[in-house]
Amino acid sequence: MSSSAPEQPPVTGHPTIDAALASLDLTGPVSAHAEAVSTVHAALQQVLNPVADAAQR
């Protein structure tokens, strides 16, 4: 079953993660998504592993 309404991103309750997921637009060719997925991945890494992120700076 297909819906014409766009899917809403999941809500985690963490503002940084929610904002990153909300900004992710996966429409269009898959090859165009690398930068967007990388940005979301970086946000997730920052939230889930802040000690390692701080050590890399």
Side-chain angles (χ1 to χ4, degrees), residues 17-47:
I17 295 173
D18 292 343
L21 292 174
S23 71
L24 188 59
D25 179 7
L26 298 177
T27 58
V30 173
S31 61
H33 303 311
E35 186 175 337
V37 170
S38 178
T39 299
V40 171
H41 183 258
L44 290 170
Q45 288 287 69
Q46 181 182 15
V47 168

Side-chain angles (χ1 to χ4, degrees), residues 2 4 8 24-25 43-44 48 56-57:
S2 177
S4 61
Q8 296 298 314
L24 188 59
D25 179 7
L44 290 170
L48 297 175
Q56 291 179 355
R57 292 182 200 181

